Amino acid sequence: MNLGDLSPSDAWFLVGLLLAVPAVSLALLGAPWRRLIARPERQHAFFASLLLLPLLWSMAIALPDGMRVHLLGMTTVTLLFGWRLAVLLGAAASLVLVLMGTGDFYAWPVDLLLSTLLPVVVTVVLLAAADRLRRTNIFVYMLGVGFGGGMLSL
């Protein structure tokens, strides 16, 4: 989500920083780097996600009030890499958009909360709920966590 003309106030900027910086720091410190480095396929998927997320987020629908809504992709990234790497990928992707000039640095912490942390938390909660069902049904995983997580995140 790109906030567009809806630039947050100073209070929202500080709240966003106070929530986003510890979350990204926790993800950075606890990320499974050895598992990522161990397999070249994981590295390729990680860097492909890093390239595709900003591209996916730059294709957005502009709403009349100045807000832009985009496809998230964070549910898929969370299911592929886990929540720590998903938070890092989302933070890096949103930072790429800011550096390209399509995002506002002043709105970056709030955008990070809405576009990255919220979808990751929703996906992790739905995945934990699906794991408690103790069913090995692929439809529970795909429809319940995959589509349901993306839909609830939006």
Side-chain angles (χ1 to χ4, degrees):
M1 176 184 304
N2 187 344
L3 297 175
D5 298 334
L6 300 174
S7 185
S9 65
D10 292 336
W12 281 111
F13 178 75
L14 290 175
V15 167
L17 274 180
L18 288 175
L19 293 174
V21 169
V24 172
S25 300
L26 182 66
L28 186 64
L29 293 175
W33 298 113
R34 288 186 182 166
R35 283 192 353 210
L36 182 66
I37 293 172
R39 306 270 314 259
E41 299 88 10
R42 290 181 188 156
Q43 295 171 26
H44 294 301
F46 184 82
F47 289 115
S49 299
L50 186 59
L51 291 175
L52 289 176
L53 276 177
L55 179 67
L56 183 66
W57 289 357
S58 65
M59 296 183 291
I61 300 167
L63 298 177
D65 59 357
M67 189 181 305
R68 294 170 44 116
V69 179
H70 58 75
L71 297 172
L72 287 172
M74 288 307 299
T75 301
T76 305
V77 171
T78 304
L79 293 175
L80 281 173
F81 299 111
W83 73 269
R84 288 181 174 101
L85 289 176
V87 167
L88 294 177
L89 279 170
S94 62
L95 192 59
V96 165
L97 288 177
V98 168
L99 294 176
M100 285 180 14
T102 60
D104 182 19
F105 182 74
Y106 193 68
W108 182 70
V110 176
D111 194 24
L112 183 67
L113 288 175
L114 295 175
S115 294
T116 300
L117 294 176
L118 180 67
V120 167
V121 167
V122 167
T123 303
V124 167
V125 167
L126 280 179
L127 185 60
D131 283 344
R132 289 186 63 87
L133 289 176
R134 299 193 188 273
R135 294 198 177 140
T136 56
N137 191 343
I138 189 69
F139 293 107
V140 170
Y141 182 75
M142 285 175 41
L143 295 174
V145 180
F147 292 120
M151 183 178 58
L152 286 174
S153 297
L154 267 173

